[in-house]
Amino acid sequence: MRVPLEVAASYRARTRGLLGRDTVEGAMLLTPAGGVHTFRMRMPIDVAYLDRRFTVLAVRTMAPGRLGRPRLRSRHVLEAAAGAMAGWGVRTGVRVAVERET
């Protein structure tokens, strides 16, 4: 399944993430990242922690105002609207493919 993806690779983009948004189209990839928080978020989100090969280490749904536990082997974090990851089949052990549109 293809999902629209925003990539937040700069410090500023990673710090902002999905803060201040009411919805998200697709997902946002924070890279590099080992953990996230949902302080000042307006909506619950799904968070997938990915290793350096984009294999899912864990998936969590986080309510606004929470601090997620950092994952030691996590190199990337994928964020989406709560419930989206289950619908996409994103779960522990699955490898996520990130492709650029041409």
Side-chain angles (χ1 to χ4, degrees), residues 68-91:
R69 282 189 316 151
R71 304 292 166 163
L72 293 178
R73 295 184 352 209
S74 179
R75 295 296 177 263
H76 317 279
V77 174
L78 191 62
E79 297 180 336
M85 303 251 183
W88 299 333
V90 176
R91 62 188 179 284

Side-chain angles (χ1 to χ4, degrees), residues 4 7 9 13-14 23 26 37 44 50 56 61 72 75 80 90-91 97:
V7 177
R14 287 190 312 271
T23 62
H37 67 82
L50 313 174
V56 179
T61 299
L72 293 178
R75 295 296 177 263
V90 176
R91 62 188 179 284

Side-chain angles (χ1 to χ4, degrees), residues 38-101:
T38 58
F39 299 118
R40 297 189 341 227
M41 287 266 188
R42 297 179 181 170
M43 62 185 174
I45 61 170
D46 281 350
V47 177
Y49 298 89
L50 313 174
D51 69 11
R52 69 182 73 243
R53 293 188 175 105
F54 295 93
T55 301
V56 179
L57 301 170
V59 178
R60 300 288 181 259
T61 299
M62 294 178 62
R66 303 285 185 215
L67 177 63
R69 282 189 316 151
R71 304 292 166 163
L72 293 178
R73 295 184 352 209
S74 179
R75 295 296 177 263
H76 317 279
V77 174
L78 191 62
E79 297 180 336
M85 303 251 183
W88 299 333
V90 176
R91 62 188 179 284
T92 302
V94 168
R95 190 165 182 192
V96 175
V98 176
E99 300 174 1
R100 268 200 144 131
E101 283 190 9

